[in-house]
């Protein structure tokens, strides 16, 4: 039994899959490029992948393959339809990151509402020590209490964010990107209404044909002054170029995101414009990767392999 793990670096340096050595030959790679993939998996019985694409062209060249384990929730990197036709199960790790993504969302909102980076820099750069006043009341410092928080995508993460936001006194509403999740204890509204009436909007939807480019230039123009738009769903849901253009033109919303359409970030990305940094908060796709979530993800992925080996399904 050959078990190949293609990109363990995406799960952090502490990710330990060594228990899989008990069940066959286990080979692990930090990262795998498209050019390296076939050579590394051509004899594999089981493949674990986080971001390495396994399309039908590749899968057709893997006669021994019996199981694909995606070390993430989304399975869009795998041609699931083709794998199913071949009788190859595709297992994922659903729900492991709900708490960490919700926490990251709240952290982004709090950071922008408090303007914490500005005040931290003010103190550390020595400006506070030069002041005649004990305090420095300049930017930001808005309360969540009483603000309208709109949620786009109301699965487990969106619902957790609703609970956290409500506990701070925010008035939560949501829109379902699938159009099916409308029986919730919060007001449901259409997307345009949600964007126009919310002070904070957080995105927790998957990337699908329906959500691709969902927030474009026309939708951004619906945002209130001082609104905060947070994308922790998927890159591609928000038109990044439109965000940059409107911020460069003086729009008064702020944008926080943990995901980009192309990752890693392009060296010439419009978000690197120094003129708009005070309206941006960027993190490098880390919301899923808080300590407890990563432990859960690794264990769920290991269990998917071990359960398949023991049960044959």
């Amino acid at each position: 039994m050959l078990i190949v793990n293609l990109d363990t670096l995406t799960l952090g340096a502490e990710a330990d899959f060594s228990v899989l050595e008990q069940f066959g030959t286990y080979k692990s790679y930090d990262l795998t490029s498209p050019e390296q993939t076939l050579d590394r998996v051509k004899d594999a019985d089981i493949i674990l992948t986080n971001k390495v694409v396994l399309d039908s062209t590749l899968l057709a060249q893997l006669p021994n393959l019996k199981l694909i384990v995606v070390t993430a929730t989304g399975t869009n990197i795998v041609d699931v339809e083709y794998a199913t036709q071949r009788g190859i199960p595709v297992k994922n790790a659903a729900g492991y990151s709900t708490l960490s993504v919700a926490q990251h969302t709240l952290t982004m909102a709090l950071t922008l509402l408090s303007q914490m980076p500005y005040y931290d820099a003010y103190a550390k750069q020595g400006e506070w020590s030069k002041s005649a006043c004990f305090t420095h009341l300049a930017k930001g410092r808005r309360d969540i209490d009483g603000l309208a928080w709109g949620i786009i995508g109301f699965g487990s993460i969106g619902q957790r964010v609703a609970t956290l936001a409500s506990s701070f006194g925010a008035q939560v509403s949501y829109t379902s990107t699938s159009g099916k999740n409308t029986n919730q204890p919060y007001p449901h509204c259409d997307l345009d209404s949600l964007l126009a009436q919310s002070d904070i909007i957080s995105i927790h939807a998957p990337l699908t044909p329906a959500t691709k480019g969902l927030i474009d230039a026309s939708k951004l123009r619906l945002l209130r002054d001082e609104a905060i738009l947070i994308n922790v769903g998927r890159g591609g849901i928000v038109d990044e170029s439109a965000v940059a253009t409107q911020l460069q033109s003086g729009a008064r919303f702020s944008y926080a995101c943990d995901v980009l359409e192309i990752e890693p970030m392009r060296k010439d990305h419009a978000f690197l414009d120094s003129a708009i940094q005070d309206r941006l908060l960027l993190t490098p796709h880390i919301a899923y990767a808080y300590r407890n979530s990563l432990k859960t993800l690794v264990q769920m992925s290991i269990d998917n392999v071990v359960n398949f080996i023991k049960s044959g399904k």
Side-chain angles (χ1 to χ4, degrees):
M1 180 76 70
L2 175 59
I3 306 168
V4 179
N5 200 338
L6 290 172
D7 50 358
T8 58
L9 188 60
T10 61
L11 305 181
E14 297 180 1
D16 183 6
F17 287 87
S18 60
V19 67
L20 296 179
E21 295 170 359
Q22 302 174 24
F23 298 92
T25 301
Y26 174 68
K27 292 186 177 181
S28 175
Y29 301 95
D30 287 346
L31 295 170
T32 298
S33 69
E35 295 76 22
Q36 295 170 320
T37 306
L38 178 58
D39 184 61
R40 292 181 175 181
V41 301
K42 60 185 178 182
D43 298 317
D45 296 282
I46 296 174
I47 299 173
L48 294 91
T49 177
N50 183 270
K51 287 292 179 285
V52 179
V53 174
L54 304 179
D55 58 22
S56 59
T57 301
L58 177 73
L59 295 176
Q61 301 176 71
L62 309 180
N64 297 335
L65 189 60
K66 302 175 179 64
L67 173 68
I68 298 169
V69 173
V70 180
T71 56
T73 298
T75 58
N76 56 296
I77 58 168
V78 178
D79 190 327
V80 177
E81 182 178 355
Y82 179 83
T84 302
Q85 292 173 1
R86 283 269 310 275
I88 302 169
V90 179
K91 306 289 187 179
N92 66 342
Y96 75 92
S97 64
T98 297
L99 299 182
S100 67
V101 176
Q103 178 176 323
H104 197 79
T105 305
L106 193 69
T107 300
M108 284 183 144
L110 290 170
T111 298
L112 288 171
L113 288 170
S114 66
Q115 291 293 316
M116 197 69 71
Y118 168 81
Y119 289 106
D120 179 64
Y122 175 85
K124 290 178 178 176
Q125 291 170 5
E127 295 302 314
W128 193 16
S129 65
K130 301 173 186 177
S131 176
C133 183
F134 78 95
T135 188
H136 175 68
L137 303 179
K139 292 189 173 186
R141 304 181 324 281
R142 298 168 65 203
D143 305 283
I144 289 182
D145 185 45
L147 294 184
W149 189 314
I151 297 176
I152 301 174
F154 214 65
S156 59
I157 295 173
Q159 291 173 41
R160 184 71 177 188
V161 169
T163 300
L164 294 175
S166 296
S167 72
F168 276 80
Q171 305 301 307
V172 173
S173 61
Y174 77 100
T175 189
S176 170
T177 55
S178 68
K180 300 176 182 178
N181 192 0
T182 57
N183 186 24
Q184 297 292 338
Y186 300 95
H188 178 268
C189 56
D190 63 80
L191 178 60
D192 285 4
S193 298
L194 181 135
L195 293 173
Q197 71 191 20
S198 299
D199 300 292
I200 302 169
I201 304 102
S202 57
I203 301 171
H204 309 285
L207 183 62
T208 67
T211 61
K212 174 73 173 175
L214 182 69
I215 308 299
D216 59 12
S218 64
K219 300 299 185 187
L220 292 171
R221 284 191 285 270
L222 297 173
L223 298 178
R224 290 179 171 180
D225 281 352
E226 297 191 310
I228 294 172
L229 176 63
I230 302 170
N231 185 10
V232 290
R234 282 290 181 266
I237 294 176
V238 176
D239 184 334
E240 297 159 15
S241 177
V243 170
T245 297
Q246 292 200 24
L247 292 179
Q248 290 161 346
S249 299
R252 297 191 60 216
F253 67 86
S254 295
Y255 183 60
C257 73
D258 183 58
V259 288
L260 295 175
E261 186 168 13
I262 298 174
E263 299 172 343
M265 189 179 198
R266 301 192 315 271
K267 293 180 180 179
D268 62 347
H269 199 291
F271 287 170
L272 297 175
D273 183 352
S274 61
I276 61 174
Q277 295 310 301
D278 64 337
R279 290 289 181 178
L280 286 175
L281 179 61
L282 309 176
T283 55
H285 205 139
I286 60 170
Y288 75 99
Y290 284 43
R291 183 178 299 169
N292 289 345
S293 290
L294 283 179
K295 288 180 179 179
T296 300
L297 172 57
V298 170
Q299 189 57 57
M300 291 175 74
S301 300
I302 289 171
D303 290 345
N304 280 335
V305 173
V306 173
N307 291 340
F308 175 81
I309 291 174
K310 290 183 175 180
S311 68
K313 59 181 180 180

